[in-house]
Amino acid sequence: MNITHFDTLLQAAQQQPQPQRLLFVLAQSELPDDATAEQKAAFEAGHGGALVPAACVDRLPAELPSFAAFEIEAQSFCPDWVIVFAASLSGRNGQAPSSESAQTPLEQMVAAIKAGQIANFLAFDRQGDAIRLG
């Protein structure tokens, strides 16, 4: 399945042979302290900046009926997000991973994003459209 939208991710997760737990890291765009005047002007015009993880959450696919539902929830705890990175954990023996078991992988996602290692994640914009990384 070609995942082109957040809702396609939800469909794909529900079709897996084992239950999934979806992992999300919301990132904001920030301007570094040492930015040049040109970089500041570009940032104010909506371009550039550095992606900084701002919040993370895990959900079962059944807890998210659509991107619209995710966006409403995300707005409550991270209103300025610009990209959401996504990954999943696969369950075993018909049991979905617990939220507790998602904590270490979420922390690893945050660390990877901070290090610029984003190629292993799906990314979606504020409209839920997939963003091609790399």
Side-chain angles (χ1 to χ4, degrees), residues 4-7 25-29 46 51-52 54-55 66-85 122-132:
T4 59
H5 192 271
F6 190 95
D7 290 337
V25 176
L26 293 100
Q28 297 171 324
S29 181
L51 289 176
V52 178
S66 66
F67 174 73
F70 174 81
E71 186 177 31
I72 290 168
E73 180 180 348
Q75 185 68 22
S76 70
F77 61 85
C78 189
D80 295 331
W81 70 275
V82 294
I83 291 178
V84 59
F85 293 96
L122 294 171
F124 301 93
D125 64 16
R126 290 292 300 237
Q127 289 71 48
D129 294 320
I131 298 170
R132 187 179 186 126

Side-chain angles (χ1 to χ4, degrees), residues 51-106:
L51 289 176
V52 178
C56 52
V57 65
D58 63 278
R59 293 287 180 264
L60 296 172
E63 295 174 320
L64 289 174
S66 66
F67 174 73
F70 174 81
E71 186 177 31
I72 290 168
E73 180 180 348
Q75 185 68 22
S76 70
F77 61 85
C78 189
D80 295 331
W81 70 275
V82 294
I83 291 178
V84 59
F85 293 96
S88 68
L89 288 177
S90 184
R92 292 191 178 115
N93 301 319
Q95 295 291 325
S98 68
S99 188
E100 292 78 24
S101 67
Q103 293 311 303
T104 297
L106 278 169

